[in-house]
Amino acid sequence: MAVITSPNLDDATLLLFEKNFERLAANKDTKLLNCPAIKHMDIKGISNVSRIEGNELVDVTSAGRNPEKQYLTIRNDNRKSVAKRFTGTYLVDSYDKAVKLITDPTSELFQNLTEAKNRMTDKCIIDAAVGSVTVGAPDSTGTTLTAAQDGVVTIAGTSKFDYSTVISPAITQFKNSYIDTNGVTLAIAAKEEQALRDDDKYMNALYSNQNTVDRGTISNASGFNVVTFAGNVQGGSTVDLPILPESTGNIRSNVLMAPKSIGFAVEIGRLDCDRSQKHVNSWEITIDLWIKTVRLQGSKVIILTSTI
């Protein structure tokens, strides 16, 4: 009688899995990771980011031909990134389907990993944009600054979320902070996108040429590149893990991010496939990821609140 043996997860198979996941980790195809707001950094360089704020030159015209030197204050606020660790372990049998799952980049396993990695990446970016930041020398404890203390401005759109209430004031705020509005990313929930989509400033062809009604979406709001996420709605849809922060008072924080406002780095801490010590003819696939993010400049971020 012929004996059929199950395919084994040999070294070549495991190496292929490792290479596929490395490509997945390096993939920038998330809603936010490839936008202008992100400054990609190496994992060590982002740990402590030395930043010097801008200065103004001194007018010495009235001092004559030999003016004295005008010493400027160097305002250095070394920033420490926030490190978040994510892990997961799969338990699979050592048979043909399991081998295909970990070697085929189009398999359901890799598709699920891709979607999970994309969601956690965007969540880390948004958390860095609206959260606190630690400032201080690399060898010190540092001082924690809230978003408001760091210069992040909040514009209320809880009563109405439209051009005149949130978008136009945000444009003015950026301009008063010497922030170029070209390339700004607007991260909003689906309900807020609907509010802008229904605003005549973006629906009426007299104001906009986006054909919003025909396309069923709005991708640009007065120069802001719109990125839409799922969000909870009172009396409506429920989202388990919303990307945009939602408070207990039914307030959502939508976010505007100017170019290079968020530093980002990712590192694979562990990636291996070992024989299970507990289960028969089974393997354990373990993935361990580190993501580091930091808000680089508070004035480049604006929070637009809305009612869930």
Side-chain angles (χ1 to χ4, degrees):
M1 182 178 69
V3 177
I4 300 176
T5 59
S6 299
N8 201 2
L9 295 178
D10 55 21
D11 291 341
T13 302
L14 299 181
L15 180 61
L16 182 57
F17 167 69
E18 181 178 345
K19 294 300 181 183
N20 285 339
F21 190 79
E22 285 176 355
R23 294 188 187 98
L24 169 62
N27 188 357
K28 298 179 182 178
D29 192 23
T30 80
K31 290 191 174 185
L32 292 177
L33 194 53
N34 206 30
C35 75
I38 307 305
K39 181 177 180 180
H40 295 275
M41 307 177 72
D42 63 85
I43 199 72
K44 292 182 179 179
I46 196 177
S47 297
N48 290 282
V49 181
S50 183
R51 189 180 72 98
I52 298 177
E53 294 184 355
N55 294 102
E56 298 294 339
L57 298 178
V58 180
D59 185 350
V60 294
T61 305
S62 60
R65 294 182 59 187
N66 302 105
E68 294 182 355
K69 296 178 180 178
Q70 303 296 315
Y71 294 97
L72 304 177
T73 301
I74 298 179
R75 294 175 291 179
N76 187 318
D77 68 348
N78 185 84
R79 293 177 170 233
K80 300 182 179 183
S81 63
V82 174
K84 291 189 177 182
R85 187 177 186 179
F86 300 89
T87 186
T89 299
Y90 289 96
L91 177 65
V92 297
D93 289 333
S94 182
Y95 69 109
D96 186 52
K97 185 177 181 181
V99 174
K100 290 181 178 179
L101 276 176
I102 74 167
T103 57
D104 181 6
T106 64
S107 69
E108 289 186 5
L109 173 65
F110 266 94
Q111 293 301 315
N112 289 338
L113 282 174
T114 300
E115 293 171 2
K117 181 256 181 183
N118 289 348
R119 285 193 298 269
M120 73 179 183
T121 296
D122 289 339
K123 185 72 168 66
C124 288
I125 291 171
I126 293 297
D127 288 347
V130 303
S132 300
V133 63
T134 301
V135 177
D139 57 350
S140 67
T141 303
T143 302
T144 300
L145 302 177
T146 65
Q149 291 171 332
D150 191 38
V152 177
V153 171
T154 298
I155 297 175
T158 51
S159 59
K160 197 172 186 180
F161 200 91
D162 60 3
Y163 170 79
S164 61
T165 307
V166 294
I167 302 298
S168 183
I171 294 172
T172 302
Q173 177 61 41
F174 275 137
K175 290 182 176 181
N176 282 335
S177 300
Y178 297 102
I179 305 297
D180 191 351
T181 56
N182 290 327
V184 172
T185 300
L186 170 58
I188 57 177
K191 180 183 178 182
E192 285 66 42
E193 191 217 319
Q194 178 185 354
L196 294 181
R197 204 167 59 235
D198 294 342
D199 190 335
D200 63 350
K201 296 294 190 299
Y202 302 114
M203 182 192 302
N204 196 320
L206 293 175
Y207 303 105
S208 174
N209 60 358
Q210 294 191 71
N211 297 320
T212 302
V213 175
D214 292 339
R215 295 174 62 236
T217 187
I218 178 169
S219 58
N220 185 292
S222 302
F224 298 154
N225 301 315
V226 178
V227 176
T228 305
F229 293 102
N232 288 299
V233 178
Q234 291 188 66
S237 59
T238 301
V239 178
D240 293 332
L241 297 171
I243 303 298
L244 298 171
E246 298 177 356
S247 69
T248 54
N250 291 326
I251 302 298
R252 181 163 31 240
S253 294
N254 306 275
V255 188
L256 279 165
M257 297 174 288
K260 295 184 178 180
S261 55
I262 307 296
F264 178 90
V266 62
E267 180 181 41
I268 298 177
R270 181 190 176 197
L271 177 63
D272 56 27
C273 188
D274 300 319
R275 283 194 177 275
S276 175
Q277 300 300 314
K278 184 179 179 181
H279 300 85
V280 176
N281 201 26
S282 299
W283 293 77
E284 293 178 352
I285 304 170
T286 298
I287 297 146
D288 189 19
L289 272 180
W290 286 91
I291 290 181
K292 287 188 176 183
T293 52
V294 61
R295 184 176 56 246
L296 298 174
Q297 185 173 333
S299 60
K300 288 188 174 184
V301 176
I302 295 177
I303 298 173
L304 307 178
T305 61
S306 60
T307 302
I308 296 176

